[in-house]
Amino acid sequence: MEPTPQTEGPSRRSVLSRAAAVAAGTAFASSALAQQSASPPSDAHSQNEANKTPTDPFPKNPELDQMFPSSFNPPYSDAGDVTTFKYPFSLGHNRVESAGWARQVTARDLVLSKDIAGVNMRLEPFGIRELHWHVAGEWAFMLQGNARVTAVDSDGHASVDDVSPGDLWFFPGGVPHSIQADAGGCEFLLVFDDGNFSEFNTFLITDWLHHTPPEVVAKHLDVDEKALKSIPPKDLYIFTGSPLQSLDADRKRALGPEGPPKIPFIFHMMQQKPDFDRKGGQIRIVDSKKFNISTSVASAHVRLRPGAIRELHWHPNADEWQFFIKGRGRQTVFTGGAKARTMDFHAGDVGVIQRSLPHYIQNTGDADLEFLEMFKSDFYQDLSLNQWVSRLSPQLVADHLKMDGSVFANLPKEKAGILPV
Ligand code: MN
Ligand code: MN
């Protein structure tokens, strides 16, 4: 594609003078990024390429423009045609049922979302997500309320667990399961290890048995065929069930001679100590090393204080699929070839950062920003700018960036995770 004034990157000279200006600020990372959010830029380094605030005399959707200032008035460092890397659940079709709802973001909505599809589901009090299974593995994060989950593996190990906010579950592909809200109802995020997954095309018990010859079903359930007339002709999907029985009673019923599952289906993510506990926030990492059954989804939960930055980093092993739980922020992705794009994110948004592309996330709101990072992998992996640069000869780095080498000599070798606020 021929470069146009809009897609051209900043000139080499302006990049260098900018780097020098950044070096005069706080070491390496924060000052170039601590610019433009919703308010107009305040210094020369926070301007877009044209160095002016764009006007829009015929506003088509001023509310959206205001919500996404980095799109309408991108920072100076953005350039080129970088594929959209966000999609809000708010734009997803919501399947509304009598006892809850579900909406999804898949590769059909967000082209980059090829490794993972996500579902946001609400169950009203005593709402049940119908007994089912699917080909993809299912990882989940409980957002609000409490639920009881059941699963049975192919060796007959059965599991019944109650989950609360911050808990995870993982059901490998083919493992049948159910989710049942308690008297308070609940909401959760489901993540599937296949971007083309559809939550509205799973193997539901009513749908399956309705589409099996009745004499076959009757033989299995040891009943008269007439008794099967009450099986609903259409799936229930999400419906109101009976109040929950005691967990002990359900567990007793589930326990066979095989005993409980050797590897638990659930994990209390938010009860574990943060892997990074900084002034700017915390990061908790959970992959199959801790949550052994989750062999196809690795994850991190990140909380950023206002103004804090999840440091410039990349993930060598997999694409990152993000879900924003609370707050607002922005991130810039550099795709190589002088191309970069900044986008704003709000609670309920999904983001995808492709494998090995460097990015940062900055809290641009006045409350905590909380989000999840998910990877189709059995392990979590990242590498950061500072981790890299701090291990090199300061002179080698200074030769590249035309800066004073002492800046790099003082960088801590320990991975920051989150930069000091
Ligand atoms: Mn499921
Ligand atoms: Mn990341």
Side-chain angles (χ1 to χ4, degrees), residues 50-83:
N51 202 23
K52 64 178 283 192
T53 304
T55 57
D56 188 3
F58 185 67
K60 285 146 200 86
N61 198 326
E63 290 84 4
L64 280 184
D65 286 345
Q66 216 154 39
M67 274 183 87
F68 309 119
S70 302
S71 294
F72 185 61
N73 186 17
Y76 173 88
S77 43
D78 276 14
D81 53 343
V82 175
T83 305

Side-chain angles (χ1 to χ4, degrees), residues 304-340:
L304 291 181
R305 304 284 175 227
I309 293 174
R310 168 94 171 87
E311 69 177 332
L312 280 165
H313 67 281
W314 63 97
H315 307 274
N317 62 329
D319 292 356
E320 172 177 349
W321 198 95
Q322 307 161 331
F323 174 72
F324 288 79
I325 300 171
K326 280 182 189 156
R328 56 180 292 175
R330 68 167 189 167
Q331 49 187 333
T332 301
V333 178
F334 171 64
T335 65
K339 290 181 181 180

Side-chain angles (χ1 to χ4, degrees), residues 132 134 138 177 192:
H132 73 284
H134 27 73
E138 170 180 319
H177 52 279
F192 298 91

Side-chain angles (χ1 to χ4, degrees), residues 103-106 113-121 129 132-140 169-171 173 177 179 188-200 202 237 296-297 321 374-376:
R103 51 189 179 173
Q104 62 184 1
V105 175
T106 71
S113 186
K114 53 184 180 9
D115 278 2
I116 284 177
V119 171
N120 176 205
M121 188 177 289
R129 166 63 171 92
H132 73 284
W133 76 96
H134 27 73
V135 177
E138 170 180 319
W139 182 98
W169 68 72
F170 185 84
F171 301 135
H177 52 279
I179 310 161
F188 44 87
L189 173 78
L190 301 174
V191 160
F192 298 91
D193 56 11
D194 171 8
N196 278 305
F197 175 84
S198 175
E199 167 64 15
F200 309 129
T202 60
Y237 188 51
S296 62
V297 179
W321 198 95
M374 272 80 54
F375 306 85
K376 185 175 175 177

Side-chain angles (χ1 to χ4, degrees), residues 199-364:
E199 167 64 15
F200 309 129
N201 190 23
T202 60
F203 307 121
L204 298 146
I205 191 166
T206 56
D207 194 23
W208 174 35
L209 296 188
H210 184 69
H211 291 95
T212 305
E215 68 274 17
V216 175
V217 179
K219 230 181 167 66
H220 280 80
L221 300 181
D222 198 17
V223 293
D224 191 90
E225 269 183 59
K226 280 194 219 105
L228 303 178
K229 292 259 187 284
S230 57
I231 294 180
K234 187 187 164 295
D235 67 61
L236 296 168
Y237 188 51
I238 293 173
F239 64 105
T240 305
S242 308
L244 292 171
Q245 303 300 301
S246 84
L247 182 60
D248 280 349
D250 277 5
R251 279 185 165 158
K252 233 174 239 160
R253 161 76 187 169
L255 207 60
E258 305 85 358
K262 293 199 170 57
I263 306 176
F265 288 108
I266 68 158
F267 188 86
H268 305 293
M269 185 183 212
M270 296 308 286
Q271 285 178 25
Q272 72 158 339
K273 259 184 62 192
D275 296 272
F276 294 86
D277 197 357
R278 309 286 189 229
K279 267 195 172 146
Q282 293 96 30
I283 304 175
R284 289 174 170 82
I285 295 165
V286 174
D287 61 18
S288 66
K289 286 185 204 92
K290 294 174 190 164
F291 187 18
N292 305 131
I293 198 162
S294 187
T295 52
S296 62
V297 179
S299 64
H301 175 280
V302 182
R303 186 190 301 280
L304 291 181
R305 304 284 175 227
I309 293 174
R310 168 94 171 87
E311 69 177 332
L312 280 165
H313 67 281
W314 63 97
H315 307 274
N317 62 329
D319 292 356
E320 172 177 349
W321 198 95
Q322 307 161 331
F323 174 72
F324 288 79
I325 300 171
K326 280 182 189 156
R328 56 180 292 175
R330 68 167 189 167
Q331 49 187 333
T332 301
V333 178
F334 171 64
T335 65
K339 290 181 181 180
R341 183 169 179 182
T342 305
M343 297 191 85
D344 301 293
F345 287 80
H346 302 82
D349 287 351
V350 169
V352 175
I353 311 295
Q354 289 169 287
R355 180 176 174 163
S356 284
L357 300 190
H359 54 285
Y360 70 93
I361 302 180
Q362 180 181 24
N363 184 343
T364 52

